């Protein structure tokens, strides 16, 4: 073998090794990127939904207090519209909870138990809201009819 060929073998082997290492690094980075996207869309996507539910529940809670405080000053049509809006928001929360349950790829008992507990607590809260709206609107009706 000529001396020039012998001198070129070492750099060619080094270049081939660098190409192989860069290919393996690129593959590993792509796998990590896919895992990060799955984490972001999966876990953080569900977390975003939970935060949205929390915000809606806060709006519902504030709306109920607002409705109760204004029940004597508002007409029955306006009270009905306000209570319909609150009930619509509660239905929105219920639908989002159902979607979250469908998104759950984790078939563990703890995840199912958490969903069942959240659903039960939501149903209890919904009944309390209905009762508060009913009592608040009944108070307004009695007040309005009593003034006539």
């Amino acid at each position: 073998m000529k001396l020039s060929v012998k001198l070129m073998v070492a750099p060619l082997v080094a270049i081939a090794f660098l190409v192989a290492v860069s290919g393996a690094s690129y593959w590993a980075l792509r796998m990590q990127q896919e895992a990060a996207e799955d984490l972001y869309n999966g876990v953080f996507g569900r977390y975003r939904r939970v935060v949205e539910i929390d915000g809606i529940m806060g709006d519902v809670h504030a709306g109920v207090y607002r409705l109760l405080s204004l029940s004597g000053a508002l007409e029955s049509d306006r009270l009905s519209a306000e209570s319909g809006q609150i009930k619509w928001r509660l239905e929105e929360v219920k639908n989002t909870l159902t979607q979250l349950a469908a998104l759950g790829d984790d078939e563990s008992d703890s995840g199912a138990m958490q969903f069942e507990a959240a659903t039960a607590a939501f149903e209890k809260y919904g009944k309390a809201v209905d009762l508060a709206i009913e009592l608040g609107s009944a108070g307004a009706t009695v007040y309005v009819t009593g003034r006539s």
Side-chain angles (χ1 to χ4, degrees):
M1 240 191 333
K2 290 185 173 183
L3 184 60
S4 62
V5 173
K6 289 180 183 177
L7 289 176
M8 291 304 291
V9 169
L12 288 176
V13 169
I15 290 173
F17 180 71
L18 287 174
V19 168
V21 167
S22 65
S25 298
Y26 178 76
W27 177 79
L29 285 175
R30 290 289 296 161
M31 294 297 290
Q32 280 191 340
Q33 181 182 13
E34 289 174 9
E37 286 175 359
D38 288 343
L39 177 72
Y40 180 75
N41 293 331
V43 174
F44 289 132
R46 289 188 293 267
Y47 179 72
R48 276 196 313 265
R49 294 267 177 106
V50 169
V51 169
E52 288 172 12
I53 288 173
D54 183 47
I56 292 171
M57 292 300 289
D59 292 344
V60 166
H61 205 68
V64 169
Y65 276 116
R66 180 177 175 274
L67 187 67
L68 291 176
S69 66
L70 295 176
S71 63
L74 296 177
E75 301 137 4
S76 61
D77 297 344
R78 179 80 187 266
L79 283 174
S80 297
E82 293 282 332
S83 64
Q85 180 72 14
I86 290 171
K87 289 179 182 180
W88 178 79
R89 296 293 293 214
L90 283 174
E91 193 64 32
E92 184 180 359
V93 168
K94 185 177 182 180
N95 292 338
T96 306
L97 273 175
T98 306
Q99 290 173 357
L100 277 175
L103 286 178
D105 55 354
D106 188 27
E107 295 295 327
S108 67
D109 289 337
S110 65
M113 288 173 48
Q114 286 177 346
F115 175 71
E116 292 297 325
T119 304
F122 174 74
E123 292 296 329
K124 186 177 178 182
Y125 182 76
K127 289 177 185 177
V129 166
D130 287 339
L131 180 64
I133 289 172
E134 182 181 330
L135 291 176
S137 62
T141 305
V142 168
Y143 178 72
V144 170
T145 58
R147 290 182 75 193
S148 299

